[in-house]
Amino acid sequence: MGDRLEKMDEGWTEQDSTTFLRDAECFVPERELLVESVCRLIPIGIESDLVVELCCGDGALSEAILDNLERVRVLALDASDVMLEACRQRTERYKHRITIGRFDLGSPDWRKFAQSPRAIVSTFAIHHLPDNAKRRLFRDMAGQLAPGGVLAIADLIQPSNEASTRLAAWQWDEAVKERSIQLRGDLSGFASFRAERWNHHALEDPDPIDQPARLLDQLRWLSEAGLESVDVHWSKGGMSLFSGVRPPA
């Protein structure tokens, strides 16, 4: 995903952040539907008013959560100064309900919250961790949730075989073409997508910062972390939205 400049956590760079901010509208299939789906997974009727977003990016999801849930507070975390500033600007009107901060996704240092969250959400970030670190993250986040709280993750996944990988690559390309034409009236978004080598599934030599895991493995890890009602809610182009719920007390 772009040239490796100004390395940050797990090899992501500020240049990658800039590219994502410019082209995310095209790069993420069905982005609006996906954001709305994550919002709908956040439970109501739980005493906690805290939602934590891991790797908040441009703030699109945090903004939607604040739009949709009037009594919720958001803790939005990221490693990129570019992303944090974009999130700060996007959510300015909600500045009294959002806390924006820097963190290292792979570090254990931040993984205890003053209040048990109603939900912990993340989109297109956890695949940067190796599998053992994903499992630890799932376990740590499950332990922090309020009873009845949800851990919801949308992420790049690893297809189970070569045929599935080829299909995922084709679907992602087609989705980006469609969004580029729909949103910009041309294929400029797709041209950037190809130039930046963003389609992990289409690459013979994928960037090592991308370490997606199989979906079935991640569902099992959620269950092993003590979550129940583990389910898949959306899939497209080798990406999926899945979640688990901490059992009620």
Side-chain angles (χ1 to χ4, degrees), residues 46-50 113-119 143-147 246:
I46 292 180
E47 183 174 346
S48 173
D49 65 352
L50 177 63
F113 305 111
Q115 177 184 1
S116 297
R118 177 188 299 196
Q144 288 297 299
L145 285 169
R246 181 170 182 177

Side-chain angles (χ1 to χ4, degrees), residues 67-211:
D67 281 343
N68 283 277
L69 299 168
E70 294 182 357
R71 293 181 175 83
V72 156
R73 297 181 300 109
V74 170
L75 171 61
L77 302 172
D78 208 288
S80 163
D81 289 336
V82 171
M83 293 295 202
L84 291 170
E85 181 58 27
C87 181
R88 188 172 292 110
Q89 291 182 19
R90 187 163 193 154
T91 60
E92 172 64 22
R93 68 188 185 281
Y94 293 122
K95 61 184 178 182
H96 300 300
R97 293 172 53 205
I98 185 169
T99 301
I100 298 170
R102 168 181 283 278
F103 85 144
D104 175 352
L105 178 64
S107 170
D109 296 343
W110 56 270
R111 296 184 182 181
K112 291 187 182 298
F113 305 111
Q115 177 184 1
S116 297
R118 177 188 299 196
I120 300 171
V121 301
S122 183
T123 58
F124 305 110
I126 293 173
H127 69 276
H128 292 151
L129 299 177
D131 288 359
N132 61 345
K134 294 183 186 74
R135 295 178 74 177
R136 285 196 299 270
L137 178 67
F138 290 177
R139 184 178 64 245
D140 291 346
M141 294 300 94
Q144 288 297 299
L145 285 169
V150 66
L151 174 60
I153 298 164
D155 210 355
L156 186 71
I157 62 168
Q158 182 59 48
S160 59
N161 57 41
E162 290 185 10
S164 295
T165 301
R166 289 194 298 270
L167 178 59
W170 173 77
Q171 287 180 337
W172 199 355
D173 274 352
E174 292 302 303
V176 174
K177 289 178 186 176
E178 180 180 349
R179 287 186 66 83
S180 185
I181 292 171
Q182 176 188 3
L183 297 172
R184 299 182 178 180
D186 58 33
L187 288 174
S188 59
F190 180 66
S192 176
F193 183 70
R194 294 298 295 271
E196 296 291 339
R197 304 179 76 244
W198 213 272
N199 191 338
H200 172 85
H201 305 303
L203 301 177
E204 293 184 3
D205 57 337
D207 195 307
I209 76 165
D210 294 321
Q211 304 178 64

Side-chain angles (χ1 to χ4, degrees), residues 217-235:
D217 290 337
Q218 296 188 78
L219 299 178
R220 186 179 74 251
W221 299 339
L222 290 181
S223 295
E224 290 173 353
L227 300 181
E228 61 183 20
S229 301
V230 174
D231 210 345
V232 180
H233 312 286
W234 173 91
S235 288

